[in-house]
Amino acid sequence: MATQVLYILFGGMALGAALLAVTRKNPVASAIWLVVMFFGLAATYVVMEAFFVGAIQILVYAGAIMVLFLFVIMLLDLRQQMLEGKPTTRLRFFGVLAALLFLVVGVVALGDAKDRGLLHRAVTPLPREADIVAANPDATSLVDLPLDGTAGAIADEMFTRWVLPFEVASVILLGAILGAVILTKRRLT
Amino acid sequence: MLAATSVPPQLGLDRLLPELIVAGTGFAAIVTELLLPAGRRAVASGLTAFLGLAIALIVLLTATPTGLALSVHAPARVGGVVQDVLVTGWLSDAFSIYVRGTVLVTGMLLLLLSMRYLQRMDRGHGEMTALLLFALLGVMLVSGVQDLLSFFVCLELVTIMAYVLAAFRRNDSRSTEAGLKYLVVGAVSTALLLLGIAFVYGHAGSLSFEAVAATLARGEMSVFLGLGLVLVLVGLLFKVGGVPFHVWIPDVYQGAPTPVTAFLATASKAAGLVLLLRFGTIAFVAGGVAWVPILAVIATATLLFGSLGALGQRNIKRMMGYSGIGHAGYLLMGITAMASAEIAGRAADGPPTAILFYLLAYALTGLTAFAVIVLVAGASGGEHGGRAWRGLWKRSPFLAVAMLLALLSLAGVPPMSGFFAKFLVLKALVDQGLTPLAFLGAGAVIVGLYFYFVWMKEMYFKEPDPELDAGPIHVPLSSRLALIAGMIGMVGMGVFMGPFHTWAEQAAAALLATAR
């Protein structure tokens, strides 16, 4: 029960912050709300016992990526030119229409999933840490324990089962680095 | 199928050997840029890449076994029931070998036609070839994916490399515009694709194709699952350029460097279609989404938009963009025929065979056309308008003949390969009882003839523009090789279509066999 309350609390916080991030006119305010959203998301991961992913979420997104965003905003000095000019009536009309359609589809899909009992499927609960420790009396350190949500569990999945997408992602990153250099470096000779 | 069978995990890296060679060549191309003096970089990186692809092609055709690589079978929850399914893996079968062969041939021709372009660039030769190789690697990899995660990552490898390539000439505002437009539109499509994958995963409880197929085959459906499948289709339509997700094509084709446009028109489009074929064998089941009407409307709109849009175009790359949308329309008609057959439970090789044959024929034809475009624009100061093409017959008869053959094949005139490709698609439509679509496709051929003939007229019946430096055009060896190979391919696939058709048929049979 407590986890559900926490989940709704942090999930709501992430949703609200995301809404504020896209509606603010000042880019700096948007960026700050985005940070709040990242923290909310990290907290929901922790509530779901994915501690490692939660920590990475804060380190990578709230840390590295947000700093990058703020740098760009500051270097371009975007505060001077806040999003001026009002959207045209037609743009507003289609925006509202798209949002309404999305809402209708979402409500229909959720109702349908509820009718089919998809929302309350039996999910095997994750074993509690205390139980795992009790089941492995010989283990001398945490590394030896088959804990879920830890770096070990993630590494296990990533380097065995999902090794192909992992390696392909590394080629994507190499290409992205090449692209960043070629498109932005001032002089290459 | 219950958890009784236990299949040991396969490493089987020899099945991925061609891909490993292509990746390694990409790394080597980067190194040439660092080690060699500026004057030799263009030839060295281009040649390294070409040789790498040639070796990969030889390895693919002689020493690549079929079967699974990097596979993991595990019990997975399929709609509430635990089954032993193929969770992830990479399947090397006749289908993936056909696609990889097509991609490698495409890549080799692409490099030959880029050579002249690379030599004219003052920087970034190694980077451009490496990015091109990585993008080709992505297209090769999509042919064998067996789960939604690899599907997504491999497709993104193609797309992200293409963003950079489209913006490669960063001092040219058209190229930067093309890159930015492609990035924004592509990012939206990626978001939709990912949302779709999330919905499918949410319902099926597994990322594996086998599990999703089993869920659908049991007739399990929910709005979320249907929505997820439609969103995946939308994400793929962006890559293929189907209406209404085609808006990026004319601008990006026009603005991107010509070799990149050639890549987008052939290999990148093939990636989308190959995934549509794989996706189709899973998703096209009775009792779910009404695929046939949805796809028929999209294919019709794409065909009409492409054919009619190409009519007034005065820029050859833009015209190729609209013509590419038109060809995507034919290919989507093939997908419609496939959906119709799959939903009716008829095991029909016809539609996938037609699509696979079309992909190879279109790649050869499109690359020949783009090879000529690179040379003509290069000899006319980067001009892509009609006046650069006036009197091409007098400036270079060889180029004029190559372009004539390419345009005839694009238009679908016998005995060129393009004719048989279109014929196979229309035949598949008639076989599946979709005769109105077939009539429409035949009608679009006539419209196509008109706008391709406009360019032939410029080439053969007009005098060279005196304002341009209208001397004879020098055709370097690399382009000459590419053009000769392309012409032999176009005519050969048309005149001796038997072996190619059989090969495509085997690939199609393998594709349909994996789904059962």
Side-chain angles (χ1 to χ4, degrees), chain A residues 130-181:
Chain A
D131 298 338
I132 297 172
V133 175
N136 293 275
D138 299 335
T140 48
S141 77
L142 276 177
V143 182
D144 299 335
L145 294 172
L147 291 176
D148 257 319
T150 62
I154 303 230
D156 208 29
E157 284 279 303
M158 202 144 81
F159 294 114
T160 58
R161 195 173 278 189
W162 303 110
V163 68
L164 178 75
F166 175 78
E167 294 295 345
V168 173
S170 66
V171 179
I172 294 184
L173 287 180
L174 177 65
I177 293 169
L178 280 182
V181 172

Side-chain angles (χ1 to χ4, degrees), chain B residues 162-428:
Chain B
Y163 296 152
V164 181
L165 285 169
F168 209 84
R169 294 173 56 196
R170 61 171 189 191
N171 296 325
D172 176 7
S173 62
R174 279 255 167 75
S175 175
T176 351
E177 184 197 334
L180 192 64
K181 263 191 186 149
Y182 194 32
L183 175 70
V184 172
V185 178
V188 172
S189 90
T190 302
L192 293 176
L193 178 67
L194 209 49
L195 192 63
I197 290 176
F199 283 166
V200 174
Y201 177 55
H203 183 117
S206 169
L207 286 167
S208 123
F209 281 179
E210 204 176 303
V212 176
T215 306
L216 282 164
R218 268 210 314 273
E220 229 183 277
M221 244 307 160
S222 69
V223 177
F224 265 121
L225 185 56
L227 196 61
L229 293 173
V230 171
L231 284 173
V232 172
L233 174 77
V234 167
L236 290 175
L237 282 178
F238 262 110
K239 308 284 183 259
V240 175
V243 170
F245 313 106
H246 62 279
V247 280
W248 58 277
I249 286 195
D251 292 339
V252 174
Y253 274 38
Q254 186 182 357
T258 312
V260 177
T261 308
F263 168 79
L264 290 174
T266 53
S268 173
K269 188 180 283 174
L273 269 153
V274 165
L275 282 175
L276 266 180
L277 284 173
R278 278 256 188 245
F279 167 79
T281 56
I282 298 163
F284 297 156
V285 290
V289 183
W291 291 112
V292 179
I294 294 180
L295 284 166
V297 168
I298 290 174
T300 309
T302 309
L303 187 59
L304 289 180
F305 187 90
S307 306
L308 299 179
L311 280 176
Q313 296 307 321
R314 284 277 152 268
N315 177 303
I316 187 91
K317 280 165 87 181
R318 229 179 149 74
M319 189 280 280
M320 286 299 284
Y322 279 101
S323 134
I325 299 177
H327 287 280
Y330 282 106
L331 289 159
L332 288 172
M333 285 199 163
I335 298 281
T336 314
M338 175 177 166
S340 164
E342 293 277 309
I343 288 171
R346 294 190 291 267
D349 282 357
T353 309
I355 292 167
L356 288 168
F357 187 89
Y358 204 121
L359 280 179
L360 183 56
Y362 181 67
L364 292 172
T365 310
L367 288 171
T368 310
F370 279 111
V372 181
I373 293 173
V374 169
L375 291 174
V376 171
S380 321
E383 168 76 41
H384 288 291
R387 62 197 201 116
W389 292 82
R390 264 172 225 158
L392 185 67
W393 170 247
K394 291 196 177 135
R395 300 176 67 190
S396 168
F398 178 64
L399 287 184
V401 168
M403 194 64 182
L404 175 71
L405 289 179
L407 288 178
L408 287 177
S409 181
L410 284 174
V413 175
M416 309 301 293
S417 59
F419 166 75
F420 287 103
K422 286 201 172 84
F423 173 77
L424 286 173
V425 168
L426 298 183
K427 182 172 174 293

